[in-house]
C-alpha cells in the first residue's frame, strides 16, 4: 500500500492532498516496523478548528459560509476517491484532516486506513458514516436548524449518504446560498426564512461571519443538479 498511494486531486503546486509515508523505519536489530518517515507540512489547521467559532475566526478570519462548504465538498471528494481505490479511511478524525487558508484539505494518518477487502459490514465505519460524523457539525455550524443534517443526515432508507451523494448535495447547497440583504458577507441556505448569522448577533453572540469576510469565491462545482438528494439531506419536504 505504501508504494501505491491513492491519486487525489491537487489544486495548486503547493497543495499536498495526502500525507503519505515516504519510507518505513525498521528497528536496526529486529527489523520490526518502528515507524514511518512522513513529509513535512506547514501552514495547515485541523478540520476541527472550523467547527469552533473562536478558532475559525482566529485561523480563518475571511472565511464565508461558502468557504466552509468548499472545505466540506473537498473532503467528500477525497473520501469518494479513496473509496474508488478500495480504501476506507477508518480513524479519520477532525484532527487528521488538515485545512489550508484557501480551503484545500490534506489527509493524514493513513496508517489507520484499511483496504476494503470484504470485512464484515458493520465492523468498521463506512465511508459515508465517516463523512456524516465530520461534516454535519460544519454544515450546521451548531445553529442552522436543518433537520435532516442535525439528525445524522440519514436518507429515507436509513443509511448514511454515500461520499458521492455528500459531494453532490454540498455542491448544490453551495450554488443555492442566499445572501443576507442586511449583511452581504452573510450567506445561508435558501431553506431558511431569515439569516441565521444575524440572529446570532441579535442574541448577543459573536458574528459568525464578520465584515472582514467580504471576499466570496465561487465554488468549483459541476453543473449537474441534485435538488432531490439535497432536499432529503437537508430535511426539506420534496
Amino acid at each position: 500500500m505504501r508504494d501505491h498511494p491513492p491519486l487525489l486531486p491537487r489544486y495548486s503546486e503547493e497543495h499536498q492532498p495526502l500525507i503519505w509515508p515516504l519510507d518505513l523505519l525498521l528497528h536496526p536489530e529486529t527489523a520490526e516496523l518502528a515507524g514511518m518517515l512522513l513529509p513535512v507540512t506547514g501552514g495547515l489547521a485541523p478540520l476541527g478548528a472550523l467547527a469552533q467559532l473562536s478558532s475559525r475566526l482566529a485561523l480563518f478570519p475571511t472565511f464565508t459560509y461558502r468557504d466552509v462548504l468548499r472545505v466540506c465538498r473537498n473532503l467528500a471528494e477525497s473520501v469518494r476517491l479513496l473509496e474508488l481505490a478500495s480504501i476506507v479511511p477508518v480513524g479519520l478524525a477532525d484532527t487528521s484532516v488538515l485545512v489550508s487558508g484557501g480551503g484545500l484539505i490534506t489527509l493524514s494518518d493513513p496508517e489507520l486506513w484499511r483496504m476494503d477487502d470484504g470485512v464484515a459490514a458493520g465492523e468498521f465505519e463506512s465511508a459515508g458514516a465517516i463523512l456524516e460524523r465530520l461534516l454535519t457539525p460544519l454544515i450546521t455550524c451548531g445553529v442552522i436548524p436543518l433537520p435532516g443534517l442535525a439528525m445524522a443526515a440519514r436518507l429515507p432508507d436509513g443509511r448514511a449518504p454515500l461520499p458521492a451523494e455528500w459531494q453532490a448535495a454540498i455542491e448544490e447547497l453551495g450554488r443555492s446560498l442566499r445572501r443576507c440583504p442586511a449583511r452581504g458577507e452573510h450567506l445561508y441556505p435558501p431553506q431558511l426564512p431569515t439569516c441565521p448569522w444575524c440572529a446570532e448577533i441579535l442574541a448577543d453572540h459573536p458574528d459568525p461571519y464578520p465584515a472582514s469576510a467580504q471576499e466570496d469565491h465561487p465554488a468549483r462545482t459541476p453543473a449537474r443538479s441534485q435538488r432531490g438528494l439535497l432536499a432529503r439531506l437537508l430535511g426539506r419536504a420534496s
Side-chain angles (χ1 to χ4, degrees), residues 92-105:
L92 194 66
D94 59 7
T95 55
S96 52
V97 178
L98 307 177
V99 184
S100 74
L104 302 179
I105 66 164

Side-chain angles (χ1 to χ4, degrees), residues 85-175:
S86 297
I87 297 174
V88 178
V90 172
L92 194 66
D94 59 7
T95 55
S96 52
V97 178
L98 307 177
V99 184
S100 74
L104 302 179
I105 66 164
T106 297
L107 303 182
S108 65
D109 298 335
E111 67 273 12
L112 300 177
W113 302 355
R114 70 169 177 86
M115 300 297 291
D116 188 8
D117 52 5
V119 176
E123 185 172 345
F124 295 101
E125 271 188 307
S126 68
I130 291 169
L131 287 175
E132 176 185 351
R133 170 170 52 81
L134 295 175
L135 296 183
T136 299
L138 296 178
I139 296 174
T140 64
C141 295
V143 300
I144 296 182
L146 300 180
L149 287 169
M151 298 178 65
R154 294 284 168 170
L155 295 179
D157 56 8
R159 65 175 175 83
L162 299 174
E165 292 172 323
W166 272 113
Q167 181 180 342
I170 294 168
E171 289 170 351
E172 180 68 19
L173 178 57
R175 286 192 293 269

Side-chain angles (χ1 to χ4, degrees), residues 147-148 172 176 190-191 226-228 230-238:
E172 180 68 19
S176 64
Q191 293 80 12
Q226 294 287 339
R227 294 189 183 279
L230 177 67
R232 292 198 296 273
L233 288 184
L234 300 183
R236 186 179 66 188
S238 58

Side-chain angles (χ1 to χ4, degrees), residues 16-69:
Q16 187 172 323
L18 183 63
I19 299 179
W20 196 258
L22 301 175
D23 203 353
L24 302 180
L25 303 177
L26 305 179
H27 193 281
E29 297 180 359
T30 65
E32 294 180 347
L33 181 63
M36 298 181 182
L37 180 64
L38 299 175
V40 176
T41 59
L44 305 175
L47 184 72
L50 284 177
Q52 300 295 325
L53 178 58
S54 59
S55 56
R56 177 169 60 76
L57 292 179
L59 297 172
F60 303 96
T62 64
F63 263 32
T64 65
Y65 184 59
R66 177 171 283 132
D67 292 311
V68 173
L69 290 182

